[in-house]
Amino acid sequence: MSDLPTAEEMLGNVKHRPPSTDWMDVPAEIRRGIACYAGNPKSLELLGHPNPRTWSCFDDDWQLPENWQQIIHEGFKERLEKFRSFKVFMDICVRCGACADKCHYFIGTGDPKNMPVLRAELLRSVYRNDFTRVGKLLGKINGARPMNYEVLKEWWSYLFQCSECRRCSLFCPYGIDTAEITIMGRELLNLLGLNIDWIVTPVANCYRTGNHLGIQPHAFKDMLDFFSDDLEEITGIRPEPQFNKKGADILFVTPSGDVFADPGTYTAMGYMMLFHFLQEKYGLDVTWSTYASEGGNFGFFTSHETMKRLNAKMYAEARRLGVKWILGGECGHMWRVIHQYMDTMNGPADFLEMPVNPITGTAFTNAASTKMVHIAEFTADLIKHGKLDLDPSRNDHLKVTFHDSCNPARGMGLFDEPRYVINKTCKHFYDMPENSIREQTFCCGSGSGLNAGEDMELRMAGGLPRASAVKTVRDRHGVNMMACVCAIDRAVLPDLMSYWVPEVDVTGVHELVGNALNLAGQHERTMNLRSEELAELQGTAEDTEGQTDE
């Protein structure tokens, strides 16, 4: 962060002006601060990707195969034939510009090629040249151009300046999903061994050990044991999570970021408290898996085949353990994969039961096919039926807003359940402006594998719209905490807030639940899950009820 321009300097550098020349004549600028490191050859090799080698996008020679243009052409042709949506998206755009100002990267950088319409044109121009008669005849006049080294660099640069958040698709009158175009473009780059390390290495780790961080089963269990130690000190009660239990009612799968990275660790502690409470009071039988120890799916950022491969592990583990259904933690891309791809990739999961909450009797009919329920839905249902013992006063020092994580929001319509849980566990809640939440939510700026350290300038620029909305509620209501239901958000938003809105911290929804939840036999609770003394925090959030966003 120390080598970043200041927030004021970054704002001053944003110029939303079109270039003086045609966009095709403006070469891509691949520079440090906005580009990620190339994929580790060992990771590429493990995944079976072609052309694994040590290289850098800052080099002049990318060490491509001699026939690389033919490889791209044949891969393009194969995907046009296999994916009807891809062919449609290549043909139907009228370049109306409805999406132009909807991308957070365009807003934050001012680079016209970060407009979704123009980012997609990077592929469409080659499509017209290679696969349309008019493009072959008229060439540049028709917006067509041949694939060459400069175009390839452009693909690399801008396909990794897209977080696949799909905000642009919400505003497209033709329903074009630029995220799907980005996915296809990245698949084509994969054919040449071109990918970033913060995607391919987590994917390789997940394929090898079951989670993005490459953590072995015993280390996964050890981390939850450490959380149990902390919870015993905080509450006087020691949760004892179950691992790999055959015949349990429910398999719980959460992103590994909740287990190994703050502030997600406090969210994991909230899960553990919840399951302990439900087991002690109602006999709910939940097991964690040390093998399917990752709910996230970085395969989504790599290729359809890789996405399918990683998604399958959760269901293979559910079958092995003989559970009834799966409960999923606070993750982002896991839920888009589950709700929008699962049935055609790995499902339907007919060997599992239709999820029914055994405590309330609620049937989660939205999960009838996937057999997987979001924990925010599950907890909201428990609270609605009065099944939890909550003391929201332990969160009185917080003024909370909620960041709708892109994939649960736009990918599965999870809007109300997290807000319901927050309002039942906190006294002060304020939504950000309407055009920045729910289906119109802005991205954290670091999704789809862009949450690396080396592209921090891009991340801070891409997160500017979200930070601006947070600043609005901070200034109006004194908001000091932003809740979310995504592990990537919990990992990257603290840096974004520190840069743009330093008075605001970040939490998972179930950290708030854990703070409020009363456990039978607990001692007097003087600390929150962060081991902060509650007495020292009181009075830091004054009551501002009655104020509303304009």
Side-chain angles (χ1 to χ4, degrees):
M1 297 282 285
S2 60
D3 56 351
L4 282 175
T6 66
E8 292 75 16
E9 289 171 341
M10 186 170 289
L11 281 175
N13 291 334
V14 179
K15 309 293 183 184
H16 293 97
R17 299 193 187 108
S20 57
T21 58
D22 188 278
W23 70 267
M24 289 190 188
D25 299 324
V26 180
E29 181 186 13
I30 299 177
R31 63 178 178 83
R32 300 186 188 279
I34 65 169
C36 294
Y37 298 146
N40 186 305
K42 291 183 179 179
S43 299
L44 291 168
E45 191 171 5
L46 179 65
L47 295 171
H49 285 203
N51 198 26
R53 78 279 185 209
T54 301
W55 70 286
S56 170
C57 64
F58 306 114
D59 294 341
D60 292 330
D61 181 8
W62 284 13
Q63 304 175 47
L64 302 176
E66 289 186 7
N67 64 332
W68 72 267
Q69 289 159 304
Q70 179 185 354
I71 293 172
I72 291 288
H73 177 85
E74 292 176 354
F76 213 134
K77 181 174 184 293
E78 177 186 348
R79 282 155 183 78
L80 288 169
E81 294 171 350
K82 183 177 181 180
F83 299 98
R84 182 176 179 274
S85 61
F86 186 40
K87 177 68 166 63
V88 170
F89 293 161
M90 288 292 98
D91 285 329
I92 66 173
C93 178
V94 297
R95 291 168 291 287
C96 68
C99 66
D101 61 344
K102 306 307 185 295
C103 176
H104 46 281
Y105 290 114
F106 173 63
I107 295 172
T109 67
D111 189 335
K113 291 180 185 176
N114 273 325
M115 295 188 294
V117 59
L118 193 42
R119 187 183 291 112
E121 282 294 299
L122 305 182
L123 270 71
R124 286 196 188 99
S125 58
V126 175
Y127 163 74
R128 294 189 192 102
N129 183 81
D130 289 10
F131 301 104
T132 70
R133 185 175 301 175
V134 177
K136 291 177 181 178
L137 291 173
L138 299 180
K140 190 174 181 179
I141 297 174
N142 186 245
R145 60 178 179 170
M147 174 56 101
N148 57 37
Y149 206 50
E150 287 304 315
V151 173
L152 185 69
K153 287 186 175 182
E154 210 169 41
W155 280 21
W156 164 273
S157 180
Y158 291 100
L159 293 175
F160 292 108
Q161 293 187 57
C162 172
S163 54
E164 301 177 7
C165 79
R166 301 173 64 244
R167 189 172 195 265
C168 53
S169 67
L170 187 70
F171 297 91
C172 178
Y174 290 89
I176 296 172
D177 188 345
T178 304
E180 291 285 345
I181 298 174
T182 296
I183 292 171
M184 293 299 180
R186 290 186 180 185
E187 285 198 18
L188 295 174
L189 291 176
N190 283 335
L191 299 177
L192 304 179
L194 299 176
N195 209 317
I196 64 175
D197 194 51
W198 197 237
I199 291 179
V200 297
T201 292
V203 169
N205 286 340
C206 200
Y207 186 51
R208 181 170 54 88
T209 67
N211 60 72
H212 293 153
L213 301 175
I215 303 300
Q216 298 290 339
H218 64 278
F220 185 88
K221 180 181 182 301
D222 286 346
M223 283 303 300
L224 267 66
D225 286 342
F226 293 147
F227 296 161
S228 293
D229 294 340
D230 290 342
L231 287 170
E232 187 173 17
E233 180 180 355
I234 293 167
T235 69
I237 303 299
R238 182 180 180 83
E240 297 290 352
Q242 301 182 124
F243 298 97
N244 308 322
K245 180 182 178 181
K246 291 191 175 183
D249 292 330
I250 298 170
L251 168 64
F252 178 66
V253 181
T254 197
S256 58
D258 283 349
V259 181
F260 293 98
D262 293 342
T265 53
Y266 310 120
T267 300
M269 291 164 70
Y271 302 150
M272 292 171 65
M273 289 181 66
L274 177 66
F275 298 150
H276 175 86
F277 177 91
L278 297 176
Q279 183 180 36
E280 291 295 306
K281 186 164 185 176
Y282 304 107
L284 186 71
D285 195 7
V286 177
T287 186
W288 302 60
S289 170
T290 60
Y291 301 104
S293 51
E294 180 65 70
N297 193 329
F298 269 44
F300 179 40
F301 313 141
T302 312
S303 71
H304 286 81
E305 184 58 37
T306 310
M307 184 197 327
K308 175 181 179 180
R309 187 190 302 180
L310 297 189
N311 183 71
K313 73 180 184 303
M314 297 188 296
Y315 289 91
E317 186 69 343
R319 186 189 293 273
R320 183 182 78 86
L321 296 177
V323 299
K324 295 178 180 177
W325 49 277
I326 306 173
L327 182 64
E330 295 183 15
C331 184
H333 37 87
M334 169 173 76
W335 287 103
R336 186 180 176 206
V337 172
I338 291 296
H339 276 262
Q340 298 190 325
Y341 293 92
M342 165 61 188
D343 279 352
T344 53
M345 289 193 313
N346 305 109
D350 291 337
F351 64 93
L352 295 173
E353 296 180 10
M354 213 278 285
V356 175
N357 189 330
I359 298 170
T360 67
T362 298
F364 296 100
T365 55
N366 60 309
S369 179
T370 65
K371 311 299 193 295
M372 194 159 174
V373 175
H374 194 292
I375 194 165
E377 301 173 283
F378 182 69
T379 302
D381 179 57
L382 291 167
I383 295 174
K384 184 176 178 62
H385 286 85
K387 301 300 183 182
L388 299 183
D389 181 6
L390 299 172
D391 180 1
S393 69
R394 297 194 194 99
N395 290 316
D396 275 357
H397 61 287
L398 301 176
K399 291 184 178 180
V400 183
T401 192
F402 180 65
H403 164 63
D404 290 277
S405 303
C406 298
N407 287 306
R410 279 188 285 269
M412 66 179 294
L414 190 76
F415 304 130
D416 296 320
E417 291 88 344
R419 286 176 169 83
Y420 179 81
V421 174
I422 293 170
N423 274 300
K424 295 298 183 179
T425 56
C426 298
K427 183 178 181 181
H428 310 287
F429 174 75
Y430 304 95
D431 249 330
M432 286 179 270
E434 288 185 8
N435 64 349
S436 69
I437 60 172
R438 296 180 177 265
E439 61 273 352
Q440 294 191 48
T441 185
F442 279 109
C443 178
C444 65
S446 303
S448 80
L450 303 185
N451 50 322
E454 64 268 20
D455 66 337
M456 191 64 76
E457 184 179 337
L458 174 70
R459 289 171 48 186
M460 296 302 103
L464 172 60
R466 170 44 76 223
S468 298
V470 175
K471 186 177 184 299
T472 298
V473 289
R474 183 208 65 182
D475 292 346
R476 291 179 180 175
H477 305 297
V479 161
N480 57 14
M481 185 65 79
M482 176 165 49
C484 58
V485 288
C486 172
I488 287 182
D489 288 336
R490 283 189 289 279
V492 304
L493 285 173
D495 282 339
L496 188 72
M497 294 298 100
S498 176
Y499 187 78
W500 291 112
V501 201
E503 299 86 353
V504 180
D505 208 341
V506 179
T507 182
V509 170
H510 278 77
E511 178 183 346
L512 303 176
V513 173
N515 284 337
L517 187 63
N518 289 318
L519 301 180
Q522 69 184 15
H523 60 48
E524 181 182 358
R525 299 273 290 277
T526 62
M527 294 186 291
N528 62 17
L529 296 192
R530 301 189 181 197
S531 296
E532 298 168 331
E533 291 291 339
L534 294 173
E536 297 176 6
L537 297 171
Q538 296 307 315
T540 58
E542 296 178 0
D543 189 0
T544 55
E545 287 184 10
Q547 297 186 30
T548 58
D549 289 337
E550 296 177 1

